[in-house]
Amino acid sequence: MEIFTTTKELRDFIRYYKQQNPHHTLGLVPTMGALHNGHLSLIEASQESCDCTLVSIFVNPTQFGANEDFDKYPRKKEADLSICQKAKVDVVFMPEIEEIYPLDKNFQTTFNAPSAMANTLEGKTRPNHFNGVLQVVHKLFNLTQANKAFFGKKDAQQLLIIQKMVEDLFLPIEIIPCPIIRTQEGLALSSRNAYLSEEGKKKALKISQSLNMVTKMIMLGEIESTKIKQAALEILQDLEVEYFVIVDKNLQEIPRIQKDSTLILVVAKVEGVRLLDNLWL
């Protein structure tokens, strides 16, 4: 397993690798570390379809707001490297902030995510969050020259906005959405789950239970968003629900289910921990 910490090392490797293996495909798995089975599923998806798998581990400061937990975000360098080694990852890129953002922010090129998609839901209370996401993801795409990049469906809004960037800027990379990975009980895997007590984890299962119930309603023919949302909120009534929305692929709320183009997104707090989950139809 190759480990690089500077952009020069990485770019030199990519250049050499592509010269030696012109027909090989390179898969990128961008992460902020604190790796878990959800990340491993992305790594496995890359290994199944690509000749070389590169995992980036970088806690990106530009996607954190002034009052958010950048300094408290879990950093587990040795554990992450051990996980990558056991998973037989080919390349790990672990840069310091100065490598990705060498200049003062006033001299950096920035991105504007599509406002209609970025200023709602997760972006409603996190101004510039998705601008920062696109800034670092675009840098990683350019640095790695990857053929494919693998993202989890759990961060649905992020995934859709990245897909939009690739489409709008004609970037030569394929975005591969990967299924949500859950515990045996049904809780969507997240680095934030570590903050929950055992009782909190049990309480959080109501989130996936609400989505399971919604799935059954739709399979039985219910398409009215108001009725579906009302039924879900009854299951979630003991949680602090931030939002439960039924939207199209542009993240606009819709009055009824649309075949093949509907997402149901939910965010709720348990023991003060903010948990995301969703259902793709």
Side-chain angles (χ1 to χ4, degrees):
M1 183 174 75
E2 301 279 359
I3 302 172
F4 301 118
T5 59
T6 70
T7 56
K8 183 182 185 307
E9 290 174 333
L10 178 63
R11 296 179 84 173
D12 287 346
F13 169 82
I14 296 297
R15 189 179 301 111
Y16 176 79
Y17 181 84
K18 286 186 174 290
Q19 287 174 349
Q20 298 298 311
N21 308 281
H23 302 296
H24 280 199
T25 54
L26 193 154
L28 170 65
V29 181
T31 82
M32 293 210 299
L35 303 181
H36 50 64
N37 285 342
H39 298 109
L40 283 175
S41 73
L42 303 181
I43 292 170
E44 290 170 1
S46 175
Q47 291 171 330
E48 287 175 4
S49 64
C50 298
D51 300 293
C52 179
T53 292
L54 188 155
V55 174
S56 64
I57 299 174
F58 178 66
V59 183
N60 177 41
T62 64
Q63 67 190 70
F64 286 80
N67 299 314
E68 294 182 339
D69 56 354
F70 173 72
D71 292 328
K72 294 181 180 179
Y73 195 89
R75 293 164 172 82
K76 302 179 180 180
K77 178 179 178 180
E78 297 306 322
D80 288 343
L81 286 174
S82 177
I83 289 171
C84 287
Q85 183 78 52
K86 291 177 181 176
K88 298 182 180 180
V89 169
D90 299 294
V91 181
V92 175
F93 180 47
M94 299 182 72
E96 297 295 331
I97 292 175
E98 293 75 18
E99 284 292 321
I100 301 299
Y101 301 107
L103 299 176
D104 178 273
K105 66 180 181 180
N106 295 317
F107 293 93
Q108 291 176 18
T109 300
T110 57
F111 277 79
N112 287 320
S115 58
M117 298 178 72
N119 296 332
T120 185
L121 305 173
E122 292 303 287
K124 191 172 184 179
T125 57
R126 304 180 72 186
N128 299 316
H129 168 69
F130 289 109
N131 296 344
V133 170
L134 295 189
Q135 188 178 18
V136 73
V137 168
H138 193 273
K139 284 173 178 277
L140 290 171
F141 288 175
N142 284 335
L143 283 167
T144 63
Q145 297 295 297
N147 303 96
K148 301 179 182 182
F150 298 79
F151 292 90
K153 284 185 172 182
K154 190 174 79 69
D155 294 310
Q157 187 173 5
Q158 171 180 278
L159 171 57
L160 290 170
I161 290 174
I162 289 171
Q163 287 178 319
K164 191 69 167 60
M165 175 183 71
V166 168
E167 178 184 349
D168 287 348
L169 300 184
F170 308 106
L171 299 181
I173 188 169
E174 183 181 0
I175 304 301
I176 309 297
C178 297
I180 297 173
I181 303 301
R182 301 180 180 279
T183 64
Q184 188 172 357
E185 294 76 20
L187 181 63
L189 293 189
S190 168
S191 301
R192 295 175 178 175
N193 292 354
Y195 300 131
L196 295 172
S197 68
E198 289 304 313
E199 187 61 32
K201 289 177 182 177
K202 291 179 182 177
K203 191 174 182 181
L205 292 176
K206 291 197 173 185
I207 299 174
S208 57
Q209 289 169 4
S210 72
L211 294 176
N212 289 339
M213 186 274 298
V214 163
T215 301
K216 293 177 182 177
M217 289 181 68
I218 295 170
M219 290 176 68
L220 291 172
E222 183 59 69
I223 63 169
E224 295 297 324
S225 297
T226 301
K227 294 180 181 179
I228 292 170
K229 182 175 181 178
Q230 183 179 11
L233 290 177
E234 288 181 10
I235 294 178
L236 297 167
Q237 61 183 328
D238 293 334
L239 307 186
E240 184 182 343
V241 178
E242 187 171 314
Y243 62 75
F244 185 102
V245 294
I246 300 174
V247 299
D248 61 19
K249 293 295 178 66
N250 291 319
L251 300 171
Q252 306 304 299
E253 291 197 55
I254 51 178
R256 56 189 58 83
I257 299 296
Q258 299 173 357
K259 184 179 179 182
D260 298 329
S261 62
T262 299
L263 288 86
I264 300 177
L265 309 174
V266 56
V267 170
K269 286 185 178 179
V270 177
E271 298 180 334
V273 180
R274 195 168 178 273
L275 302 174
L276 291 76
D277 207 339
N278 59 64
L279 175 65
W280 294 64
L281 302 177

